[in-house]
Amino acid sequence: MPKCFKIVQVGSVEKTADGPLIRMEPAYAEAMDGLEGYSHLAVFYWFHENDTPALRGVLQVHPRRNPNNPLTGVFATHAPLRPNLIALTYCQVIRIDGLVIHVDEIDARDGSPVIDIKPYIPIDKLNNAVIRLPKWV
């Protein structure tokens, strides 16, 4: 039997008229210390709208929902249907105001639970990014 893990929500995605943002939970304010030193973030979020046993059981899809594409295993696609509904996207930080991280764009839907954030560091090989790093890196 597969192991189960507990994942907690650390924030949520909001799509506003002023642009997208990530609103962090107050319990994780200290975890944000130093984040302003980075230009880009890796944001892990939960595909919450697909969180049903049936949708988690889908193991093959037509990529980009195009039936002309071959049936492909979900681990070889970016499909939101997966056994574990973890999504990853990269964002450029516009600014940070307290618990709110303003980003240039994010492919998560409004209300998506954020489960982790990591700073982008050049070894991650994000192409064409203008990188800003704290001096200690």
Side-chain angles (χ1 to χ4, degrees):
M1 168 158 283
K3 274 187 166 181
C4 289
F5 300 91
K6 180 179 179 181
I7 294 178
V8 298
Q9 181 174 345
V10 300
S12 60
V13 173
E14 292 182 21
K15 302 284 181 96
T16 72
D18 294 327
L21 58 89
I22 300 165
R23 187 173 306 277
M24 300 299 290
E25 294 291 330
Y28 298 100
E30 288 183 15
M32 296 175 64
D33 285 351
L35 204 54
E36 70 284 347
Y38 294 91
S39 59
H40 292 75
L41 302 174
V43 179
F44 298 83
Y45 63 96
W46 197 254
F47 284 127
H48 66 295
E49 294 176 353
N50 297 323
D51 203 350
T52 68
L55 291 177
R56 281 180 174 232
V58 174
L59 300 180
Q60 292 186 317
V61 297
H62 293 282
R64 299 180 178 247
R65 299 180 187 159
N66 183 341
N68 295 323
N69 290 332
L71 200 57
T72 305
V74 296
F75 294 151
T77 73
H78 282 198
L81 302 176
R82 325 188 68 73
N84 292 304
L85 303 170
I86 299 169
L88 166 64
T89 191
Y90 291 94
C91 300
Q92 181 177 355
V93 177
I94 304 300
R95 71 181 185 281
I96 299 175
D97 297 323
L99 294 172
V100 178
I101 305 168
H102 298 266
V103 295
D104 64 337
E105 56 185 49
I106 189 166
D107 61 3
R109 292 188 178 191
D110 187 57
S112 293
V114 174
I115 58 174
D116 203 357
I117 292 176
K118 295 182 185 216
Y120 172 76
I121 298 175
I123 60 170
D124 297 333
K125 296 187 172 114
L126 182 61
N127 294 331
N128 301 319
V130 176
I131 306 303
R132 180 180 66 243
L133 298 171
K135 291 180 181 175
W136 62 264
V137 172

